[in-house]
Amino acid sequence: MLLGVVISAALLYFSLRGIRFSEVLEHVRSARLGSMLLAVCLATLTFVLRLFRWQLLLHGDDGRRLGAAPLWHAIAMGFMANNVLPLRAGEVVRTYAAASLTQTRFTSVLASVAVERLFDAITVVSLLAAGLFTADLPHTALSMKVARIVTIGGAAALSGLVLAALVVAFPLAAETVVRKIVPAEKLATRIITFIEGIRHGLSALGSPVRVAGAALWSVALWGTSALSFHVMFAAFGIPVDFSGALLMQGLIMFGIALPSTPGYVGAFELPIITVLALYEVDRNLAAAYALTYHVTTFLPITLLGAWSVLRTNLGLGSLRRGLG
């Protein structure tokens, strides 16, 4: 927790160093409200798209298709938790909520969330690469570093997806290894049960149709997210094209992967201001854009998550027990 606070403080300092807040406030006041609201709506829509993708990736223990309502509540509560709780608790909250509301094994839900993240990584890195190679940017050391990040990130995500697919394809091999290594029958059975739950959560990777569907939903999700950045450009009169939005989105995803405070303070602003600096956008205008986008797009899902906590029977006490 302390490390996250230190890193967030450092990133926020570098983001806002030399900023004149009177000018930032003036840029915010003069922003086009219609474009700003549209950007917020598009950013919030991405959570609905996550719901449709998750229905493909996660089925019940009996193979049934899970209902939209419980999965939506889990998504909303999870992302709300990421915004207000430390230590990236949102994924645990989302997993616990989905398992409880759908009566599905925790390990199965957890594995499906891991697969989601792999699809996210591959899609974001691919779109980042597209933005990098289509953007009208000078061939600088920074752009070379970004290209290197794209290559490493893409290779890591693809390797994870292949490894997950192997677990699905060869379940008996994992069971054989466990029984050979673990002499205690009871403990071995528990480990195998755990692996079976993970394998069930990865079962979508055994269906080409579900994999293709998840890939399409991932492109739709992250394309919509990038569009929200682009529309917010229009709200502030920033002349950056859609390639710049793809580039910004990708760097933000790498930024928020760092340890930080709840809500990714600093880790969210610095990539935005850095990318806009490549386009020679005034730092005060870039800071106004970054702070406005961060606050306005994080509020809706936080409020929706709070509503889901009240709406479901889980409540804050149950979520705390899930975190414990």
Side-chain angles (χ1 to χ4, degrees):
M1 176 61 181
L2 179 60
L3 177 61
V5 172
V6 171
I7 292 176
S8 279
L11 294 177
L12 195 60
Y13 169 76
F14 284 113
S15 300
L16 304 181
R17 182 178 51 179
I19 296 297
R20 291 188 291 274
F21 286 97
S22 59
E23 291 190 24
V24 170
L25 186 58
E26 186 57 35
H27 284 306
V28 173
R29 286 174 175 169
S30 61
R32 298 182 183 89
L33 183 59
S35 296
M36 187 186 299
L37 290 176
L38 178 57
V40 172
C41 289
L42 288 169
T44 307
L45 177 61
T46 61
F47 298 104
V48 179
L49 299 179
R50 283 185 178 277
L51 166 63
F52 297 140
R53 184 181 63 177
W54 206 12
Q55 282 187 301
L56 277 178
L57 292 175
L58 177 63
H59 283 187
D61 292 336
D62 56 0
R64 74 189 187 282
R65 180 179 173 84
L66 299 177
L71 292 183
W72 166 254
H73 288 312
I75 289 171
M77 286 188 281
F79 281 92
M80 175 203 69
N82 272 338
N83 291 345
V84 300
L85 297 178
L87 304 176
R88 303 293 170 83
E91 298 299 2
V92 179
V93 168
R94 176 155 75 112
T95 302
Y96 174 78
S100 300
L101 294 172
T102 64
Q103 299 300 303
T104 303
R105 278 179 293 192
F106 184 90
T107 50
S108 298
V109 180
L110 183 63
S112 72
V113 171
V115 172
E116 263 197 349
R117 289 311 186 192
L118 291 173
F119 274 104
D120 283 341
I122 291 172
T123 306
V124 170
V125 168
S126 298
L127 293 176
L128 172 57
L132 181 64
F133 295 119
T134 59
D136 186 18
L137 291 173
H139 197 64
T140 62
L142 177 59
S143 62
M144 293 297 292
K145 288 180 180 178
V146 172
R148 200 173 298 119
I149 291 172
V150 170
T151 302
I152 296 172
L158 188 58
S159 298
L161 195 61
V162 170
L163 180 61
L166 289 174
V167 172
V168 175
F170 304 103
L172 295 179
E175 180 177 345
T176 300
V177 170
V178 170
R179 293 202 180 278
K180 285 184 177 180
I181 295 176
V182 181
E185 179 65 25
K186 190 174 182 180
L187 178 58
T189 300
R190 286 183 179 179
I191 294 174
I192 290 167
T193 301
F194 178 83
I195 293 175
E196 176 58 26
I198 295 292
R199 191 184 71 82
H200 176 78
L202 300 175
S203 62
L205 298 179
S207 168
V209 173
R210 290 167 69 184
V211 169
L216 290 174
W217 280 119
S218 296
V219 172
L221 189 166
W222 290 106
T224 301
S225 176
L227 184 59
S228 73
F229 286 108
H230 189 249
V231 171
M232 191 68 85
F233 289 155
F236 285 85
I238 296 175
V240 175
D241 58 13
F242 190 68
S243 295
L246 294 175
L247 183 60
M248 177 183 292
Q249 173 177 257
L251 291 185
I252 289 172
M253 294 306 295
F254 283 107
I256 65 177
L258 296 172
S260 63
T261 59
Y264 313 111
V265 175
F268 197 91
E269 284 78 10
L270 184 58
I272 293 177
I273 294 173
T274 300
V275 170
L276 292 180
L278 293 176
Y279 288 90
E280 300 181 341
V281 175
D282 176 74
R283 278 183 59 82
N284 296 295
L285 177 57
Y289 174 96
L291 293 170
T292 300
Y293 187 96
H294 195 170
V295 172
T296 59
T297 59
F298 274 46
L299 274 176
I301 192 60
T302 302
L303 295 175
L304 288 169
W307 180 82
S308 288
V309 170
L310 296 174
R311 180 71 175 173
T312 62
N313 293 323
L314 293 180
L316 292 175
S318 295
L319 293 179
R320 289 194 192 99
R321 287 193 294 275
L323 288 172

